[in-house]
Amino acid sequence: METLIGLKTNEWLKLYRLNMFHLPLNQIPNCLKLTILSIRNTIYARKEAEAFGQQIEETEIRKPPVFILGHWRSGTTLLHKLLSKDPQFAFPNVYEVYNPWTFLITEKLLKDRLEKLPPEKRPMDNVVVAYNDPAEDEFALSLMSLKSPLIGWAFPVHEAYFDRYLTMHNISEEERQEWKKWFVYFLKKLTLLYNKQLLLKSPHHTARVKTLLEIFPDAKFIHIARDPYRIFQSTVNLYKNTVARLSMQKRDLEKDIEAIINRYKAMYDFYFEERQLIKPGHLVEIKFEDLEKDFVTGIEQIYDALKMDGWPTYKPILQAYMESQPPYKKNTYAPIDEKWKAKINSVWQKTFKEWGYPLQ
């Protein structure tokens, strides 16, 4: 339910009507809570539109964003956080992606209260997250457009319907243009607030390169790959410990695992096809296993490959941050069931070959 707290009333009612006959009785309190929150969000959204609407519309995104791509659990969050230490970049934070309609007003109003909140560990790993840490713009887009696979996290009964928005291909052109409109609107709000180049991270964007280039033909992309077996184990863990908790309907783990495998294939089928549309010198591909051997050297190679400015200023900041971090304890997982391993080896064969990961 937490992923829906930023909905306005109209959007919440659309989702409720779609799912009302599939919601168990124990979700009634959550539905009432979301209704109250949506009314509050609608009121503040109107106030924000009155105060900033004209400025938002007139704002220009002068420098195209840098996009971090890669499947869930591949290291995109870590890379996003490290690159966000470069003062030339701005990024959407946790509060802003959960409150995309209102953050220009409400984040300032709640700043003192938000700063007193202790950082929390994410349920699927040991990563500590504060309200102002970098976050995925997909959460904001899901609330503004209702066109995102993230809606399927809350409503698995209709997950296939919302999965259409992963690649942006199996939808109408009208839907695609509407998604683009809200994406640009959200980025304009961030630009108005920070007036810096935007650093964005979303696994979903990995399958949307063509659509992103239609908006920002000069955008730069960083793709991070990871051992597909590790990706599978960690993504299943994500669904068990996070997605299941966020869901307002009963989930089926077998179906979730099937969907994980199929979604990964769809994502990379489109990525491999569409990455050739990126301008030369605007894409760098790295492996998480190489990056974690020496983060500073790995990130310097990213800056060199993309010819990004700012490394002399950013390098000492990054080094100091890395030295300040306590040792990180990775999750451990049980061996993959042979049934799923056989399917992974078959369906994901292209990525094993592409990045040189050995089949087991």
Short mmCIF file of all heavy atoms in Angstrom, two decimals, residues 162-187:
data_model
loop_
_atom_site.label_atom_id
_atom_site.label_comp_id
_atom_site.label_asym_id
_atom_site.label_seq_id
_atom_site.Cartn_x
_atom_site.Cartn_y
_atom_site.Cartn_z
N PHE A 162 -0.70 -3.95 -16.19
CA PHE A 162 0.26 -2.89 -15.92
C PHE A 162 1.66 -3.22 -16.42
O PHE A 162 2.46 -2.32 -16.66
CB PHE A 162 0.27 -2.57 -14.42
CG PHE A 162 -1.01 -1.93 -13.95
CD1 PHE A 162 -1.92 -2.66 -13.20
CD2 PHE A 162 -1.30 -0.63 -14.28
CE1 PHE A 162 -3.11 -2.07 -12.78
CE2 PHE A 162 -2.49 -0.03 -13.87
CZ PHE A 162 -3.40 -0.75 -13.12
N ASP A 163 1.96 -4.49 -16.60
CA ASP A 163 3.26 -4.88 -17.15
C ASP A 163 3.45 -4.39 -18.58
O ASP A 163 4.58 -4.32 -19.08
CB ASP A 163 3.43 -6.40 -17.11
CG ASP A 163 4.10 -6.87 -15.83
OD1 ASP A 163 4.55 -6.02 -15.03
OD2 ASP A 163 4.21 -8.10 -15.63
N ARG A 164 2.36 -4.03 -19.27
CA ARG A 164 2.48 -3.51 -20.64
C ARG A 164 3.32 -2.25 -20.70
O ARG A 164 3.91 -1.93 -21.73
CB ARG A 164 1.08 -3.19 -21.19
CG ARG A 164 0.13 -4.39 -21.26
CD ARG A 164 -1.23 -3.97 -21.78
NE ARG A 164 -1.78 -2.86 -21.02
CZ ARG A 164 -2.31 -1.76 -21.57
NH1 ARG A 164 -2.35 -1.62 -22.88
NH2 ARG A 164 -2.81 -0.79 -20.81
N TYR A 165 3.39 -1.55 -19.58
CA TYR A 165 4.11 -0.28 -19.56
C TYR A 165 5.60 -0.45 -19.28
O TYR A 165 6.32 0.54 -19.21
CB TYR A 165 3.48 0.65 -18.53
CG TYR A 165 2.02 0.93 -18.82
CD1 TYR A 165 1.02 0.41 -18.01
CD2 TYR A 165 1.65 1.68 -19.93
CE1 TYR A 165 -0.32 0.65 -18.28
CE2 TYR A 165 0.31 1.91 -20.23
CZ TYR A 165 -0.67 1.40 -19.39
OH TYR A 165 -2.00 1.63 -19.68
N LEU A 166 6.06 -1.67 -19.15
CA LEU A 166 7.50 -1.89 -18.98
C LEU A 166 8.26 -1.46 -20.22
O LEU A 166 9.24 -0.73 -20.13
CB LEU A 166 7.78 -3.37 -18.67
CG LEU A 166 9.26 -3.76 -18.60
CD1 LEU A 166 9.95 -3.04 -17.45
CD2 LEU A 166 9.41 -5.28 -18.45
N THR A 167 7.82 -1.91 -21.38
CA THR A 167 8.54 -1.64 -22.62
C THR A 167 7.94 -0.48 -23.42
O THR A 167 8.58 0.02 -24.34
CB THR A 167 8.55 -2.88 -23.53
OG1 THR A 167 7.21 -3.14 -23.99
CG2 THR A 167 9.07 -4.09 -22.78
N MET A 168 6.72 -0.08 -23.09
CA MET A 168 6.02 1.00 -23.79
C MET A 168 5.70 0.65 -25.25
O MET A 168 5.44 1.53 -26.07
CB MET A 168 6.83 2.30 -23.75
CG MET A 168 7.30 2.71 -22.38
SD MET A 168 5.96 2.97 -21.19
CE MET A 168 5.24 4.46 -21.83
N HIS A 169 5.70 -0.63 -25.60
CA HIS A 169 5.44 -1.03 -26.98
C HIS A 169 4.04 -1.63 -27.16
O HIS A 169 3.41 -1.40 -28.18
CB HIS A 169 6.50 -2.02 -27.46
CG HIS A 169 7.79 -1.37 -27.83
ND1 HIS A 169 8.08 -0.95 -29.11
CD2 HIS A 169 8.86 -1.02 -27.08
CE1 HIS A 169 9.28 -0.39 -29.14
NE2 HIS A 169 9.76 -0.42 -27.92
N ASN A 170 3.57 -2.38 -26.19
CA ASN A 170 2.27 -3.04 -26.33
C ASN A 170 1.15 -2.16 -25.78
O ASN A 170 0.27 -2.62 -25.05
CB ASN A 170 2.29 -4.40 -25.60
CG ASN A 170 1.07 -5.24 -25.94
OD1 ASN A 170 0.49 -5.10 -27.01
ND2 ASN A 170 0.69 -6.11 -25.02
N ILE A 171 1.22 -0.86 -26.13
CA ILE A 171 0.21 0.10 -25.68
C ILE A 171 -0.11 1.01 -26.87
O ILE A 171 0.59 1.02 -27.87
CB ILE A 171 0.70 0.93 -24.48
CG1 ILE A 171 1.97 1.71 -24.84
CG2 ILE A 171 0.94 0.05 -23.27
CD1 ILE A 171 2.44 2.66 -23.76
N SER A 172 -1.17 1.78 -26.72
CA SER A 172 -1.54 2.71 -27.80
C SER A 172 -0.58 3.89 -27.81
O SER A 172 0.05 4.23 -26.80
CB SER A 172 -2.97 3.20 -27.60
OG SER A 172 -3.06 4.05 -26.47
N GLU A 173 -0.52 4.57 -28.95
CA GLU A 173 0.33 5.76 -29.04
C GLU A 173 -0.19 6.86 -28.12
O GLU A 173 0.60 7.62 -27.56
CB GLU A 173 0.37 6.25 -30.49
CG GLU A 173 1.30 7.43 -30.73
CD GLU A 173 2.76 7.14 -30.36
OE1 GLU A 173 3.15 5.94 -30.33
OE2 GLU A 173 3.50 8.11 -30.11
N GLU A 174 -1.49 6.93 -27.94
CA GLU A 174 -2.06 7.92 -27.02
C GLU A 174 -1.58 7.69 -25.59
O GLU A 174 -1.22 8.64 -24.88
CB GLU A 174 -3.59 7.84 -27.06
CG GLU A 174 -4.27 8.86 -26.17
CD GLU A 174 -5.79 8.75 -26.22
OE1 GLU A 174 -6.31 7.89 -26.95
OE2 GLU A 174 -6.45 9.56 -25.52
N GLU A 175 -1.54 6.42 -25.17
CA GLU A 175 -1.04 6.10 -23.83
C GLU A 175 0.43 6.45 -23.68
O GLU A 175 0.87 6.98 -22.65
CB GLU A 175 -1.24 4.61 -23.54
CG GLU A 175 -2.66 4.18 -23.30
CD GLU A 175 -2.75 2.70 -23.02
OE1 GLU A 175 -2.46 1.90 -23.94
OE2 GLU A 175 -3.08 2.33 -21.88
N ARG A 176 1.20 6.16 -24.71
CA ARG A 176 2.64 6.42 -24.66
C ARG A 176 2.92 7.92 -24.57
O ARG A 176 3.78 8.35 -23.80
CB ARG A 176 3.32 5.82 -25.90
CG ARG A 176 4.80 5.50 -25.71
CD ARG A 176 5.30 4.63 -26.84
NE ARG A 176 5.30 5.34 -28.09
CZ ARG A 176 6.36 6.03 -28.56
NH1 ARG A 176 7.48 6.07 -27.87
NH2 ARG A 176 6.30 6.65 -29.71
N GLN A 177 2.17 8.69 -25.32
CA GLN A 177 2.36 10.14 -25.29
C GLN A 177 1.93 10.71 -23.93
O GLN A 177 2.54 11.67 -23.44
CB GLN A 177 1.57 10.81 -26.42
CG GLN A 177 2.08 10.50 -27.82
CD GLN A 177 3.54 10.91 -28.02
OE1 GLN A 177 4.00 11.91 -27.47
NE2 GLN A 177 4.26 10.14 -28.82
N GLU A 178 0.90 10.14 -23.34
CA GLU A 178 0.48 10.61 -22.02
C GLU A 178 1.55 10.30 -20.97
O GLU A 178 1.84 11.12 -20.10
CB GLU A 178 -0.86 9.97 -21.62
CG GLU A 178 -1.40 10.53 -20.32
CD GLU A 178 -2.74 9.94 -19.93
OE1 GLU A 178 -3.27 9.10 -20.68
OE2 GLU A 178 -3.25 10.31 -18.86
N TRP A 179 2.14 9.10 -21.06
CA TRP A 179 3.23 8.75 -20.15
C TRP A 179 4.38 9.74 -20.30
O TRP A 179 4.93 10.23 -19.30
CB TRP A 179 3.72 7.32 -20.44
CG TRP A 179 4.82 6.87 -19.53
CD1 TRP A 179 4.69 6.20 -18.35
CD2 TRP A 179 6.24 7.05 -19.73
NE1 TRP A 179 5.93 5.94 -17.80
CE2 TRP A 179 6.89 6.46 -18.62
CE3 TRP A 179 7.00 7.65 -20.73
CZ2 TRP A 179 8.28 6.46 -18.49
CZ3 TRP A 179 8.39 7.66 -20.60
CH2 TRP A 179 9.02 7.07 -19.49
N LYS A 180 4.74 10.05 -21.53
CA LYS A 180 5.83 11.00 -21.79
C LYS A 180 5.50 12.37 -21.21
O LYS A 180 6.37 13.05 -20.66
CB LYS A 180 6.10 11.09 -23.30
CG LYS A 180 6.77 9.85 -23.87
CD LYS A 180 6.68 9.79 -25.39
CE LYS A 180 7.48 10.84 -26.07
NZ LYS A 180 7.49 10.66 -27.55
N LYS A 181 4.25 12.78 -21.31
CA LYS A 181 3.84 14.08 -20.79
C LYS A 181 4.08 14.16 -19.28
O LYS A 181 4.64 15.15 -18.80
CB LYS A 181 2.35 14.31 -21.09
CG LYS A 181 1.80 15.63 -20.53
CD LYS A 181 0.29 15.72 -20.67
CE LYS A 181 -0.43 14.82 -19.68
NZ LYS A 181 -1.90 15.02 -19.69
N TRP A 182 3.66 13.12 -18.55
CA TRP A 182 3.83 13.17 -17.10
C TRP A 182 5.29 13.01 -16.69
O TRP A 182 5.73 13.58 -15.70
CB TRP A 182 2.96 12.10 -16.43
CG TRP A 182 1.50 12.42 -16.51
CD1 TRP A 182 0.52 11.68 -17.09
CD2 TRP A 182 0.86 13.60 -16.01
NE1 TRP A 182 -0.68 12.31 -16.98
CE2 TRP A 182 -0.51 13.49 -16.32
CE3 TRP A 182 1.32 14.73 -15.33
CZ2 TRP A 182 -1.44 14.47 -15.96
CZ3 TRP A 182 0.41 15.72 -14.98
CH2 TRP A 182 -0.96 15.57 -15.30
N PHE A 183 6.05 12.25 -17.47
CA PHE A 183 7.47 12.11 -17.20
C PHE A 183 8.17 13.46 -17.31
O PHE A 183 8.90 13.88 -16.40
CB PHE A 183 8.09 11.10 -18.18
CG PHE A 183 9.55 10.82 -17.96
CD1 PHE A 183 10.03 10.54 -16.69
CD2 PHE A 183 10.44 10.82 -19.02
CE1 PHE A 183 11.38 10.27 -16.48
CE2 PHE A 183 11.78 10.56 -18.82
CZ PHE A 183 12.26 10.28 -17.54
N VAL A 184 7.92 14.18 -18.39
CA VAL A 184 8.52 15.50 -18.58
C VAL A 184 8.04 16.47 -17.51
O VAL A 184 8.83 17.27 -16.98
CB VAL A 184 8.20 16.04 -19.99
CG1 VAL A 184 8.62 17.50 -20.13
CG2 VAL A 184 8.88 15.19 -21.06
N TYR A 185 6.77 16.39 -17.15
CA TYR A 185 6.22 17.27 -16.12
C TYR A 185 6.95 17.07 -14.79
O TYR A 185 7.34 18.04 -14.12
CB TYR A 185 4.73 17.00 -15.95
CG TYR A 185 4.03 17.95 -15.00
CD1 TYR A 185 3.68 19.24 -15.40
CD2 TYR A 185 3.70 17.55 -13.71
CE1 TYR A 185 3.03 20.11 -14.53
CE2 TYR A 185 3.05 18.40 -12.83
CZ TYR A 185 2.72 19.69 -13.25
OH TYR A 185 2.09 20.55 -12.38
N PHE A 186 7.16 15.81 -14.41
CA PHE A 186 7.87 15.52 -13.16
C PHE A 186 9.30 16.04 -13.21
O PHE A 186 9.80 16.63 -12.25
CB PHE A 186 7.84 14.01 -12.90
CG PHE A 186 8.54 13.60 -11.63
CD1 PHE A 186 8.08 14.02 -10.40
CD2 PHE A 186 9.67 12.78 -11.68
CE1 PHE A 186 8.73 13.64 -9.22
CE2 PHE A 186 10.32 12.39 -10.52
CZ PHE A 186 9.84 12.83 -9.29
N LEU A 187 9.97 15.86 -14.34
CA LEU A 187 11.36 16.32 -14.47
C LEU A 187 11.43 17.85 -14.49
O LEU A 187 12.41 18.42 -13.99
CB LEU A 187 11.99 15.74 -15.73
CG LEU A 187 12.09 14.22 -15.82
CD1 LEU A 187 12.99 13.81 -16.97
CD2 LEU A 187 12.57 13.60 -14.52
#
